[in-house]
Each structure stands twice: as structure tokens, then as C-alpha cells.
Amino acid sequence: MILRVDTTSAVPPYEQIRSQIAMMTAAGILAVGQRLPTIRQLAADLGLARGTIARAYRELEQRGSIRSRGRHGTFVADRPVDARADRERAVIEAASVFATQAAQAGVDPHLALDRAMRALTSHDGHGSVSTVAVRLR
Amino acid sequence: MAQTSQLTAAGWGFVGAGAVLALVALVLAAMAPGETRLAAWARRYGFELTEINRPVVSRYLRKTRTLQAAGAGLGFLASPIYVGISERPFPLGDSWVALAIGGYLVATVVAEATFLRSRTPNSVRGAALLPRSLADYVPKAAIWAIRILPLVSVGLAVLYGVVPKNPQRPLDPSSTFLLVASALLVTFAIAIETTLRAIVARPQPAMIEDAVEADDAVRASSIHGLSGASVALMLLTGGWELVSAGEVTSVTILSQVLPWLGVLVDVTALAAWIFIGHPRSWRVDREVAAVNAR
């Protein structure tokens, strides 16, 4: 369950964090009720400002993916009834991020798609892209 | 506790044996750990050694064990060497065991503070999406022992002050000295828990699970070492208070029971140092803790 942030990406770090956590909650990789790291811990581990993590958490909370319980911490919210739609939305968001990054890097769309397919088939194990793909079927 | 200012021949013999033991421990610790030792350590902390985490674990074990052996050895020998050379009592007391544990504790903190962890060289950063808490790295009983034992020590200092005294026995140490010592133990406990929490909060940049598991094991090992040594020092203080109270009281039953109780607490201190400091098995399972937190 590793969160990755590319600081050179055109996508802001808070958005990268938000989309990854949204994907993990939608796909069930993060269990309902699971506690998330504190803003301070995640900021220290990623070497980012606390405000960046706070913004990602705030947006996730506004969309109902997570809920904050004060000093008890931040938890993964109960999954929406229409879990499939939520998962699809998460994938669409991830695809949108990928498309933006590919376009800004000037990569040919066909090549980008090919690389995405390779990534989907090469990754394996719990929490990987292929696990998410399989769960979406 | 009367402090010695001279060493007997037996004392020098004890010092010599201790010095040899410390030297052997230091040489063994300074050697790069073999594959068997690495594998045993990884098994103890419930993770698998890989090509990525093996060098980190090896470096950690070598550095930490070397410093701990040096710290414990120096602590053990500090008092007798000082006394032998200066023929004056050692300012920090003459409890060689307590000084050895103190040296071990300081060395553990130094090792943890100076153990360099490589940050990801490129711009892509990673972190485990799992919370960390002190209870993931050490038993809750040890945390509570660090909180409660100093209060027990204050209670024993008060008991020492109020217990009926035998007028024929010198009041050594003074009640005030014991109260100040136990109050310092409270400060020490606060400092230790703050240090333990700082180790837990230390950044953990990691791109793969292997690195996270090894780093968690390293933290758990440092925290166990610190906790074990702290609890042992607190128990030794309690044991000293009990023995002192037994020596000065005029109440027969107390003068008979308290010294033995003190010795029992001293033995428990050594057991705590060994068993809390070096657990047979401890797995940092933050994933389970995060899910159970709901």
C-alpha cells in the first residue's frame, strides 16, 4: 500500500495523492474504517508540506471517500452503495491524470496506451494496478 | 548507598573480567553480521530479507550492536576505573550494572539518531499509506511500565521518608536525596517516551514494501532496546529504594522483607533489560492495526 508522488509531474502533488487514495478506497484496497496516516506523518514521509496533504484529505472528505474523526484520526468512509460506479469514476479520474501527463510529456497517444497496457499486465500483487483492473471487471 | 573510594583485589578481578567480556562483545558486534544472524534477526521481526533491505539491516545491526556493546562496557567500567585512578567515589554512583545499562541506553539513542537512511534519489517519492503508533513497535505493557514505575518510585521515596527509623543506623541516603532522585526519574520517563515517539515519527520514505518492513523492524528494535533499558533503570532505582528503606527502618518485618524485595526487583530489572530489549519475536503489523482502529 505505497503512495507515490512525482514532484516533477504537471499534476499537483495533492491531486496525485487524492487520486491514488480515491482509487484505493473505490477498489477496496483500503478497507472501510481503516485509519489513514496523520497529515504530519504523511507529509514527513513524502517530504511534502503539510498543507499539501491536508488539501488532498480535505477534498477526499468532501467527496465522501474518507472521514475525519478529530483527534482519533482520519478513516476510510463506508463505501457508497453504488461501488461499481465509484470504482469506474476513480479509474476515469486516474485515466484523466495519465492522459494529462502523457500529453504534457509529448508522448504519442498510441505509445502511451501501449505503455499503460504494459503497466497493467506487468504489475501484480495486492494493491497493484492489475489488482484494481481485475476488481473492476 | 555508601560509595566506595577504593577497589579490593576481588573488585579489580571483577573489573578485569568485565573488561574482557566487554572487549569480546565489542569485537563480535563490530564484525559484519553473517547471513545466519541476519536471517535470524529478520525472522524475529517477521519480515523477509531481500537484496534491497539486506544492506540496510546489516548496517543497522553492525552499528547499533557495536555502539551498544561499547556503551554498556564503558558504563560498566566507568566507576571502577575512576575510583581506581582517582581514589574518589564516582560522581554518578557505584552501581556498575545501572551504569552499564545507562551506557547501553545512551548508545542506543546515539545509534538511532545517527543511523542514516537514504532518501529516494529521484523526484518520485513514496510512503506507506499506513499510520504509525508507538504500540505498533513495543508492547503496551512496556509503555505503561515507563509511565507508572517513576510514580511508584516517588511513592517509595515517600515511604522511605515516613517509615520509622532505627536510630542506630545512619540515614543514608537522605530522604530529600531519594525524593529528588525519584522526581528526576519522572523527568527521565517523560524524556524517554518523547524519544520513543520521535523514533516512531521519524520520516519513512519508501518506494517498496520490502524497505518499509525492514525500516519498521529497525525502529522496533531500537524502541525495544530503549524501552528495556529504561524499564530496567527504573526498576533498579525502585530496588535501591526498597533495600535502603529496609536498612534504615526499625520495623522488624520491614527490615526483613524489604531488602529481599529489593533484590527481587533488581533481578526483574535485568530480566526486563534482556526480554523487553531483545524480544524473541515481534512483528510490526501496521496494516492490521490500521484496520482494527475502526
Side-chain angles (χ1 to χ4, degrees), chain B residues 206-292:
Chain B
M207 295 298 289
I208 52 165
E209 304 277 357
D210 291 358
V212 173
E213 286 179 347
D215 188 76
D216 275 341
V218 161
R219 278 170 213 254
S221 174
S222 294
I223 289 171
H224 270 89
L226 253 176
S227 304
S230 306
V231 169
L233 283 176
M234 290 168 184
L235 284 170
L236 283 176
T237 307
W240 167 52
E241 288 173 313
L242 285 168
V243 171
S244 302
E247 281 175 350
V248 299
T249 184
S250 60
V251 181
T252 313
I253 184 75
L254 289 180
S255 66
Q256 287 172 342
V257 170
L258 290 182
W260 284 109
L261 203 57
V263 171
L264 187 68
V265 171
D266 286 348
V267 173
T268 311
L270 290 177
W273 184 28
I274 295 165
F275 294 112
I276 298 176
H278 307 87
R280 287 173 64 92
S281 161
W282 184 265
R283 183 175 168 77
V284 180
D285 210 341
R286 287 159 55 194
E287 196 151 348
V288 170
V291 172
N292 288 343

Side-chain angles (χ1 to χ4, degrees), chain B residues 16-105:
Chain B
V20 170
L21 267 176
L23 196 65
V24 170
L26 189 64
V27 169
L28 286 175
M31 286 159 51
E35 191 57 35
T36 313
R37 196 174 148 211
L38 284 174
W41 194 83
R43 255 198 318 277
R44 186 193 292 175
Y45 286 98
F47 73 99
E48 203 175 323
L49 276 179
T50 64
E51 289 310 309
I52 288 166
N53 63 28
R54 183 179 278 105
V56 177
V57 173
S58 175
R59 205 156 40 88
Y60 169 79
L61 280 180
R62 192 175 185 182
K63 177 166 193 174
T64 310
R65 298 295 179 256
T66 304
L67 282 171
Q68 284 173 338
L74 281 175
F76 184 78
L77 297 172
S79 174
I81 288 174
Y82 182 88
V83 169
I85 293 170
S86 71
E87 296 195 344
R88 279 185 303 186
F90 188 58
L92 295 176
D94 64 354
S95 173
W96 298 359
V97 175
L99 288 167
I101 296 174
Y104 175 94
L105 186 143

